[in-house]
Amino acid sequence: MEQIADTAAVVQQNITDNVEATTLWSVWSIVAISVTLFAVLALVLYIFRDKKKRRVKDKIMNETADVGFNTLNEWKKAERLYNELKRICHPDLFHDERNEIANEIFQRLTENKYRYQELLKIRDEAIEKLGIKVTDNKY
Amino acid sequence: MNIWNTIVDWFRDRSERSRVISSFNESARQAYMSGDAPVMLKAKISRGDPNYAHEFSARWSGSGFRVMVFTGGQLSRAELEFMGNVILADEKLVRRLIVLGWDTLEIHGSEGVYGLKWRLTDFTTKINLINGF
């Protein structure tokens, strides 16, 4: 009778151990599956975002394919031209009907201070409308 | 396949960045030789300012576009500032620099380590990832 009781206890113990092991395995498998899902989700989001970035990048690269560094030839000329124009086109120098035109030209001059091609257009307009003379012909 | 594309794109970007630097240096050389520019400039990639980082910043391969006065004389601070602003006034150029991973424009004189720097994204309208502009 005592042997039967011992056998039953051993069987009971084995069953308990197995249940604990199964529970532990379940917990770890859930953790592993969660981590895997998270990694897959992160990868999908990264790839999706990277695709969008790539699309925007390609679009801008195509649209700006013709840019160069012409400004390097122009920055000193722009500085000289701007400094001269701001001096000779100043509205305070014009006390007649040209004052309004000088105001408008001076405003555009300030807005396009760093754009040499625009400064050239403003210079031509100022010569025509204000009757100024630009001293340095090399501009 | 996507990983392969990413690798190809990475090399393509690196190549394009090198091409931009070479193009800048060649233009600067021509401008100096023709007398249009009073000094010769040289561009190189620097670390950049991490505070200026944006969506496209090349964090690991240098995000600063550094222009240095290489030879020909000294430039005043006002001249350096004007030159920087002339480069930044070209919005298409700024956009190209941004998508190629640069976030900082640095202009240095020929002496000392001090110079001027600008955040590139301040000089263009915001680029968004939906339609590009």
Side-chain angles (χ1 to χ4, degrees):
Chain A
M1 196 60 183
E2 195 177 320
Q3 282 179 340
I4 291 172
D6 283 348
T7 308
V10 169
V11 169
Q12 183 65 40
Q13 184 61 45
N14 274 341
I15 290 169
T16 310
D17 288 349
N18 279 339
V19 169
E20 279 176 4
T22 309
T23 311
L24 199 62
W25 189 86
S26 303
V27 171
W28 279 113
S29 62
I30 288 168
V31 169
I33 289 167
S34 304
V35 169
T36 310
L37 282 176
F38 180 77
V40 169
L41 186 68
L43 189 64
V44 167
L45 284 175
Y46 172 77
I47 289 168
F48 185 63
R49 187 160 184 78
D50 200 53
K51 266 187 179 174
K52 282 203 292 187
K53 264 176 77 174
R54 187 76 250 171
R55 201 165 52 232
V56 170
K57 190 180 269 193
D58 286 344
K59 185 181 175 191
I60 294 174
M61 290 291 278
N62 286 335
E63 286 174 0
T64 59
D66 58 334
V67 300
F69 290 99
N70 294 333
T71 47
L72 292 174
N73 303 323
E74 296 174 351
W75 73 270
K76 195 64 191 174
K77 290 190 278 189
E79 187 188 31
R80 286 182 192 148
L81 183 56
Y82 171 74
N83 285 337
E84 179 159 19
L85 286 178
K86 80 173 180 188
R87 187 169 50 80
I88 59 180
C89 295
H90 200 282
D92 288 352
L93 298 174
F94 301 93
H95 302 290
D96 49 16
E97 69 278 359
R98 294 178 299 170
N99 183 269
E100 199 175 321
I101 300 169
N103 261 322
E104 187 261 331
I105 284 177
F106 198 78
Q107 192 180 337
R108 281 174 47 213
L109 196 60
T110 312
E111 286 167 4
N112 295 289
K113 183 176 175 179
Y114 304 113
R115 297 184 178 91
Y116 182 61
Q117 297 304 322
E118 291 301 315
L119 288 176
L120 287 177
K121 288 179 196 166
I122 294 170
R123 177 201 64 180
D124 293 343
E125 198 179 323
I127 289 172
E128 187 190 329
K129 292 181 178 173
L130 299 177
I132 58 161
K133 283 182 183 171
V134 178
T135 52
D136 197 338
N137 289 328
K138 75 178 177 181
Y139 299 132
Chain B
M1 191 61 187
N2 192 68
I3 292 170
W4 175 249
N5 286 340
T6 306
I7 293 168
V8 170
D9 287 344
W10 188 86
F11 278 106
R12 197 171 63 179
D13 284 354
R14 298 288 83 74
S15 157
E16 185 58 26
R17 277 160 68 91
S18 300
R19 204 188 63 76
V20 168
I21 294 286
S22 304
S23 164
F24 182 98
N25 290 335
E26 180 57 25
S27 298
R29 201 169 65 88
Q30 293 294 339
Y32 181 62
M33 287 196 314
S34 65
D36 286 334
V39 290
M40 188 167 154
L41 304 170
K42 190 169 167 55
K44 67 175 192 174
I45 296 172
S46 66
R47 269 184 61 198
D49 189 332
N51 296 320
Y52 294 171
H54 54 70
E55 192 80 29
F56 294 95
S57 285
R59 291 182 183 87
W60 307 110
S61 50
S63 63
F65 190 89
R66 180 175 292 175
V67 178
M68 297 181 75
V69 177
F70 194 55
T71 185
Q74 300 287 327
L75 290 182
S76 66
R77 182 190 165 91
E79 284 176 311
L80 292 177
E81 193 175 344
F82 199 96
M83 181 169 62
N85 279 310
V86 167
I87 293 173
L88 293 165
D90 188 346
E91 196 176 331
K92 280 175 89 176
L93 174 62
V94 172
R95 280 181 181 280
R96 195 168 180 84
L97 294 179
I98 288 173
V99 294
L100 284 173
W102 281 294
D103 54 31
T104 312
L105 173 69
E106 301 172 9
I107 308 242
H108 283 243
S110 55
E111 279 192 358
V113 292
Y114 297 103
L116 303 171
K117 66 179 178 181
W118 292 264
R119 183 201 300 261
L120 285 177
T121 47
D122 287 346
F123 294 87
T124 184
T125 48
K126 190 169 170 55
I127 298 170
N128 71 57
L129 290 180
I130 304 300
N131 55 16
F133 296 97

